[in-house]
Amino acid sequence: MLNGRLLVVAFEGWNDAGEAATGAVRVLQEQLDVSPLFVIDPELYYDYQFNRPVLATDDDGRRRLTWPSATLSGPSVTAATSEDPAPLADDAELSVSGANGANIFLLLGSEPSRSWKAFTAEIIDAALTHDISAIIFLGAMLADVPHTRPISIFASSENDEMRASLELERSSYEGPVGILSVLAEAAEDAGIPTLSIWASVPHYVHNAPSPKAVLALIDKLEEIVDVVIPRGDLVEEAGEWENGINVLAGDDEDMAAYIAQLEQARDTVESPEASGEAIAKEFERYLRKSSDGKGDGRNDPPTLR
């Protein structure tokens, strides 16, 4: 399932704490030779008072609007027409392995405001048109985790064969969901197996992008899909992110004490592999607390601003 055409998906909004999921897909977008194949019409699915268009200067010096949407991108040269694996970057020592050489597709956009069923139907039709063999959804949630420890990653699948092949857990969550879950169910119904990878982002730094979480998602994606993804400056940026939070927390006794409690709780876990059940429970708790659409529901713990 993971040796054919793979679609990696991330959406801005509810599923994207610390901009980690979209950040990971943007890294792939920068490294892979991909071009747009299909763009969702924003007029049908977005509330512009919630997802406003952005005005910016383009490469030609013109000020232009970018509208919220979702874009499916694919390789300029697919594995079916290329004999050699396509390198991810000019300076990469390794390239995407095996049949995945030029078979990574990307879907990146904003979570739609309305008409989710019609939106999902368009995405699944596009996936079937381009003969996608499996879809990998990337997400990130706010959680009670310390920024000083490795980012917790939880991978799951509703597909029996996928779980058996990768030794994954099946989420037991029941409650409100984001567009990723809607797309996942529709894909499985259409015969496309799916996999979800979620990162836990420290909730007390929810206002800042988290390159450390981006890096963790890329590490897991690389492990599961068997690709090599150049990191660029991401490792250095992740270190700077952690050091910056250390400086802020050093000036706040309450925050420092709270982080110490989180570190102690995390250190009781023997290994990242042994924490799968705990991460799954945290994921489910996050979704339940987020069900009112007003945030992650945490009012008591301190927050860095």
Side-chain angles (χ1 to χ4, degrees), residues 22-51:
T22 53
V25 172
R26 287 191 175 95
V27 169
L28 289 173
Q29 204 170 46
E30 292 170 359
Q31 302 292 352
L32 292 166
D33 182 15
V34 295
S35 56
L37 300 174
F38 172 74
V39 180
I40 286 285
D41 182 356
E43 288 292 317
L44 302 175
Y45 305 112
Y46 293 94
D47 179 348
Y48 297 142
Q49 289 185 324
F50 181 74
N51 288 306

Side-chain angles (χ1 to χ4, degrees), residues 179-243:
I179 191 63
L180 296 185
S181 296
V182 179
L183 285 168
E185 181 179 273
E188 292 286 350
D189 289 344
I192 305 175
T194 64
L195 166 69
S196 296
I197 305 174
W198 283 75
S200 296
V201 178
H203 69 88
Y204 51 86
V205 287
H206 62 86
N207 289 327
S210 176
K212 189 172 181 178
V214 173
L215 189 60
L217 284 172
I218 289 176
D219 288 345
K220 190 64 176 180
L221 182 64
E222 188 176 80
E223 172 192 332
I224 289 180
V225 179
D226 190 23
V227 298
V228 176
I229 305 169
R231 305 302 197 270
D233 297 329
L234 199 54
V235 175
E236 181 179 351
E237 291 171 359
E240 293 174 352
W241 174 84
E242 184 171 333
N243 291 334

